[in-house]
Each structure stands twice: as structure tokens, then as C-alpha cells.
Amino acid sequence: MILITGGAGFIGSNFVLDWLTVSDKPVINLDALTYAGNLENLATINGDKRHIFVKGSIGDFDLVTKLLTKYQPRAVINFAAESHVDRSIHGPEDFIQTNIVGTFRLLEAVRTYWNKLDDSAKRNFRFLHVSTDEVYGTLKNDDPAFKESNPYMPNSPYSASKASSDHLVRAYYHTYALPVLTTNCSNNYGPYQFPEKLIPLIIHNALSGKPLPIYGDGQQIRDWLYVKDHCAAIRQVLQDGRLGETYNIGGLNEKANLDVVETLCSILDELSPRTDGKPYTEQITFVKDRPGHDRRYAIDATKIERELGWKPAETFERGLRKTVQWYLDNQPWVQNVTSGAYQHWVGNHYGTI
Ligand code: NAD
Ligand code: DAU
């Protein structure tokens, strides 16, 4: 049995679905169901006894302790977080509470549980913390890609809060010998991503006839990874990662935002053309840049490939096409998550564009 947190979010739900196709080991899924958590992501495993969902926070020491004591998991994987950079700029408080204080309380509950295990269970236990490449800050166009040895230089409240949580995880290894692993991954895309993030937002706005907002000059670079590849990498690190180590995970796929949006437009032109026959690129609108916007992320993933034999299986072209098709096939899911609070966020953040 494993316990995962944040398993109703984008990556966490993909992880649960993948886990249950490759493993017969049950999953306890602890998720606070914030605006980003959605049980519809897990609808295909409704009734599957191997999935035990618990609504609650990683910051609730008593609840986490109860779950650990009851289910005796051999691993905890921490996906739970506030994850959207723009929201962290509008209001950092939730990011501090969940990503820093929440991770701290989770670590405390796990440490207390782990201390009471017998020697063999102690040795086999793992705490895997899912983190981001944003902790390393920003790169110039000719800088080498981020290595695990790069210094932490976070630039947004989101990345600063993730960096803090990574430091806590590291400290629990060095101070208490808690068997931890940390992964730092680049931008994910794929099914079930909340349409506040670039790729699903562009697909949703394009199909709704709305502007496609590009921050600044659109030349910021991200290293895109198909979410299923991220899930496979996490399973690999959980199985064979060296204790106390961090592993960078990336897509070998650096693209400028404008290129990503233009590629999405051309896939949509083909799969779901506009009724007026015009290309979706006509909806592209340049808007005010994100404050403190990191220019470029790129991951050097040689360590995980060399030590654990992982590398991405999906190409960007194929992954993006699959993703567009998924959103086209799952419009009811999109309609459900883009009502209510989502409308409020869009109005607040993008104003009248
Ligand atoms: P997401 O925002 O889609 O999902 C986060 C999930 O965590 C939601 O289900 C939410 O309800 C839950 N949650 C929030 N606060 C909680 C709390 N206090 N207790 C329990 N659950 C809580 O995020 P995501 O994109 O799936 O990211 C998952 C993790 O991966 C995060 O830690 C993020 O920092 C990291 N990450 C994301 C990306 C990416 O591109 N999306 C890349 C690298 C790393
Ligand atoms: O690098 C990993 C990180 O990737 C994760 O840690 C974060 O949780 C995840 O949200 C993501 O962060 P980004 O800020 O890179 O993702 P986002 O989808 O918000 O933006 C991607 C790029 O697109 C970024 O350069 C900003 C730009 N953008 C985004 C939006 C929402 C736009 O130009 N217009 C937009 O409307």
C-alpha cells in the first residue's frame, strides 16, 4: 500500500490511474479538494477497491497520523501543493501554508510513524517529494540546462515555497535519517490539467472563440514533458532512487511559448476547424507580462537516465496531439471545471482581453 497526497489534481490523478494499471498495490489518496482537485479525474476507477480516497489536508497532523497508523503504507508520495505561479503572485498566503507549513506537518507525521516501524519496514520505507525545476530560477538562452547541483534561486512565491519544502525534505534526511527522495520536474502537459495552465487554457479559449493570451513577447522557454512520462519517472525513482538524492526530470523538449501556442492552433485547425474557416492563430493576443517571469527552464536529465534508466517515451508532437484530442473528447469535464470559481479567476487575472 502507498499513500499519495494531491491525487485529485492534474499529475496526482494521472499517477493514481497509471499506478493502478501497472501495480496491484492499493493507493490511499489524501487530497484537500481545493479548486484544483477534482474527483472527476478519477471517475474511471470509481468502485475500484484498490483506491481509497480521503478528503483532508497534508497539514492535518492528526488525520495523516491516523491514516499512516491504519494503513501502514510502505511509501508516501507528496504531490499536494498550490501549483499555479500566477495565483501565487496574486496571493502567496495559500502557497506558504500548503507548500511549506503543510509539507512540514506531513513530514512530522511521517517521521513519527516511521520511527515506530520495525527495522525492516524502516529500511524499506520511502518519502518521495514531487517538486519543480522552478526552484533553480531562470536561465539565459545559452546557459547549460539545470543540473541537480545548481543552486536554488527561486523567483516567484510559488517557486520559493517549493524550494522551502525541498529544503525541509532534505533536512529530514540529514537530521533524522528519514528515507527521502526528491524529484524536480519541468512543465507537464496532458489529460486532466486544469485550464489555468498554458496548454489547456489555450485549447479551451480557442474552442470558446476567446483571445489566446501570450505574456510579454512569448519567447519564454519551457521544457515540456508528457504527464505519463513524469508518472513513469516517479515510479522509477520510488523503486530504485538513492536515498537523500534529488532527480531532475525533463522532456528534452525546449519550446518558446509562442511556438507552443502556434502548434496548438495548427492541430486545432486540423482536428476542430473554426466554423468561419479562419486559423485559430487569429485569436492570439499579446498581454502584459507576468511579474518576475522566468525566461527559460531546461532540464539536464542525464542523472536519472544514467542511474535509473528513465527517459521520456513521448514526443512533443504526438503528446500534444493526444492532449488536444483528449480535451476535444472530454468537453463535459472542461465545462464542469470552467464554471463558477474559474470564471472569477479569469475575470480577475485577464481583465477584459
Ligand atoms: P494541481 O494544482 O493540479 O493539483 C494539486 C492537488 O493538491 C489538488 O488536487 C489539490 O486539491 C491538492 N491540494 C492542495 N492543497 C492541499 C493540501 N493542503 N492537502 C492535500 N491536498 C492538497 O498540481 P499539479 O500540476 O498536479 O502538481 C502536482 C505537484 O507536482 C505539485 O507539487 C507541483 O509543484 C509539482 N509539479 C508540477 C508541475 C506541472 O507542470 N504541473 C511540474 C513539476 C512539478
Ligand atoms: O516548470 C514546472 C512548473 O510548470 C510547475 O512547477 C508549475 O506547477 C506549473 O504550473 C508550470 O509553471 P509555469 O508558470 O511554467 O506554467 P504555466 O502553464 O502557468 O505557464 C507556462 C508558460 O506560459 C509561462 O512562461 C507563462 C506563459 N503563459 C501562461 C499563461 C497561463 C502565457 O503566456 N499566457 C498565459 O495565459
Side-chain angles (χ1 to χ4, degrees):
M1 167 136 340
I2 61 166
L3 188 153
I4 83 156
T5 73
F10 163 48
I11 303 174
S13 61
N14 275 285
F15 184 85
V16 172
L17 298 177
D18 274 14
W19 178 268
L20 293 178
T21 61
V22 297
S23 165
D24 54 358
K25 301 285 182 298
V27 182
I28 313 147
N29 181 355
L30 173 66
D31 194 297
L33 295 182
T34 68
Y35 79 93
N38 183 359
L39 286 176
E40 280 186 42
N41 299 3
L42 300 160
T44 55
I45 52 166
N46 267 348
D48 189 325
K49 298 248 176 331
R50 297 170 303 161
H51 177 237
I52 301 158
F53 182 79
V54 180
K55 182 175 184 303
S57 171
I58 56 168
D60 185 341
F61 178 92
D62 293 340
L63 173 64
V64 176
T65 300
K66 217 182 286 172
L67 294 176
L68 292 169
T69 310
K70 178 168 177 191
Y71 295 108
Q72 301 277 307
R74 69 160 176 93
V76 172
I77 307 179
N78 184 29
F79 292 94
E82 288 294 334
S83 69
H84 188 33
V85 173
D86 292 319
R87 284 185 193 256
S88 84
I89 296 167
H90 286 282
E93 177 75 31
D94 288 349
F95 290 73
I96 306 307
Q97 289 308 329
T98 293
N99 300 358
I100 306 179
V101 181
T103 302
F104 161 68
R105 298 226 189 285
L106 177 67
L107 280 166
E108 275 297 272
V110 170
R111 178 168 79 92
T112 310
Y113 160 74
W114 178 76
N115 268 328
K116 293 182 193 146
L117 294 175
D118 65 35
D119 283 352
S120 152
K122 251 187 174 157
R123 255 197 320 279
N124 291 327
F125 185 81
R126 297 288 181 271
F127 179 91
L128 193 157
H129 179 61
V130 179
S131 192
T132 171
D133 58 357
E134 301 200 10
V135 297
Y136 299 121
T138 187
L139 294 169
K140 297 202 178 63
N141 278 0
D142 54 356
D143 282 341
F146 299 131
K147 279 183 173 303
E148 289 80 357
S149 53
N150 273 48
Y152 273 31
M153 295 169 84
N155 292 319
S156 71
Y158 163 68
S159 53
S161 68
K162 290 297 288 185
S164 305
S165 65
D166 293 8
H167 290 321
L168 283 168
V169 171
R170 176 189 160 88
Y172 273 62
Y173 172 70
H174 287 280
T175 306
Y176 305 115
L178 190 72
V180 307
L181 299 153
T182 298
T183 54
N184 294 90
C185 188
S186 60
N187 286 64
N188 285 215
Y189 68 100
Y192 302 111
Q193 187 167 30
F194 194 78
E196 63 185 356
K197 308 283 168 62
L198 181 70
I199 288 178
L201 177 102
I202 294 299
I203 299 170
H204 175 61
N205 280 16
L207 295 172
S208 316
K210 293 184 182 148
L212 310 181
I214 308 274
Y215 297 163
D217 62 3
Q219 293 309 311
Q220 303 82 7
I221 291 171
R222 297 291 182 267
D223 179 355
W224 293 96
L225 179 70
Y226 192 59
V227 64
K228 307 276 178 202
D229 279 331
H230 188 187
C231 296
I234 290 172
R235 287 199 306 272
Q236 198 64 48
V237 173
L238 182 67
Q239 190 177 299
D240 293 323
R242 285 187 293 127
L243 295 187
E245 291 291 316
T246 65
Y247 291 91
N248 281 355
I249 303 170
L252 308 170
N253 229 333
E254 289 185 55
K255 304 278 179 208
N257 292 338
L258 188 56
D259 293 343
V260 171
V261 173
E262 286 174 348
T263 307
L264 282 170
C265 286
S266 71
I267 296 173
L268 282 165
D269 286 339
E270 192 191 318
L271 298 183
S272 183
R274 274 172 47 153
T275 47
D276 62 5
K278 292 186 176 156
Y280 282 103
T281 46
E282 294 221 337
Q283 289 165 233
I284 288 177
T285 312
F286 289 86
V287 301
K288 196 164 145 290
D289 207 351
R290 172 188 279 176
H293 198 172
D294 287 334
R295 195 69 183 165
R296 172 176 166 241
Y297 304 142
I299 283 278
D300 179 334
T302 49
K303 178 176 172 182
I304 188 171
E305 183 174 359
R306 189 180 62 245
E307 288 191 13
L308 307 180
W310 176 89
K311 59 180 182 192
E314 199 56 88
T315 63
F316 189 60
E317 290 63 31
R318 213 172 40 210
L320 211 54
R321 186 170 277 270
K322 280 208 269 199
T323 303
V324 172
Q325 191 62 60
W326 187 88
Y327 281 90
L328 288 170
D329 293 344
N330 288 275
Q331 281 298 301
W333 181 93
V334 178
Q335 302 316 331
N336 287 346
V337 298
T338 52
S339 57
Y342 175 83
Q343 300 294 348
H344 181 69
W345 159 254
V346 169
N348 193 23
H349 181 60
Y350 293 99
T352 54
I353 63 139

